[in-house]
């Protein structure tokens, strides 16, 4: 499955108030990313950083939720998720070529 197919199919499960068409998926994306971070934190605390098969399965589910909200937000903005991914890679490889992967700021 590619991003275009995922974006199209996941849209069929998007049920939220249209008057919050941007804020709802943006908040959901933040919440799910926080859940990923919480699970990683607990792996560090409870498993001494060892990722078990059960941990990996739970993280995979949370990452799927992150992807769903990302896809809905992209769709609401009229963005093609594949193009977003391609543009991101171009930006990152440009930074790498120029030795600018480290540091901060969007326009490195």
């Amino acid at each position: 499955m590619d991003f275009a197919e995922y974006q199209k199919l996941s849209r069929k499960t998007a049920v939220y108030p249209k008057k919050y068409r941007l804020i709802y998926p943006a908040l959901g994306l933040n919440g799910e990313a926080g859940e990923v971070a919480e699970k990683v934190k607990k792996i560090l605390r409870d498993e001494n950083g060892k990722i078990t098969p059960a941990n990996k399965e739970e993280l995979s589910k949370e990452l799927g939720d992150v992807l769903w909200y990302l896809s809905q937000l992209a769709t609401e903005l009229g963005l093609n998720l594949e193009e977003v991914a391609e543009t991101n890679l171009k930006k990152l490889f440009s930074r790498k070529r120029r030795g600018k992967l480290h540091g901060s700021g969007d326009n490195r």
Side-chain angles (χ1 to χ4, degrees):
M1 172 180 295
D2 60 23
F3 282 132
E5 184 177 5
Y6 180 85
Q7 193 169 7
K8 180 180 177 184
L9 291 174
S10 70
R11 192 65 180 165
K12 294 179 180 183
T13 66
V15 179
Y16 50 85
K18 292 304 172 194
K19 68 180 181 177
Y20 301 122
R21 65 183 200 88
L22 293 179
I23 193 72
Y24 185 91
L27 291 173
L29 177 59
N30 188 56
E32 294 299 336
E35 288 187 35
V36 170
E38 279 293 314
K39 290 196 180 303
V40 170
K41 179 193 77 175
K42 289 177 182 175
I43 290 168
L44 292 173
R45 182 190 67 198
D46 301 338
E47 311 285 342
N48 200 30
K50 183 176 184 267
I51 301 173
T52 66
N55 299 143
K56 191 180 281 191
E57 183 178 334
E58 289 301 311
L59 283 167
S60 178
K61 289 176 186 177
E62 296 302 337
L63 289 170
D65 292 340
V66 167
L67 180 60
W68 187 90
Y69 279 106
L70 176 64
S71 179
Q72 302 324 304
L73 186 56
T75 298
E76 294 294 355
L77 291 168
L79 298 171
N80 177 301
L81 201 51
E82 285 200 28
E83 290 174 6
V84 170
E86 289 170 3
T87 299
N88 179 256
L89 284 176
K90 286 178 187 174
K91 176 185 76 175
L92 293 173
F93 279 107
S94 170
R95 286 180 181 172
K96 183 176 181 179
R97 257 189 332 275
R98 296 178 290 115
K100 300 287 186 181
L101 281 175
H102 291 72
S104 62
D106 289 335
N107 298 311
R108 288 181 263 155

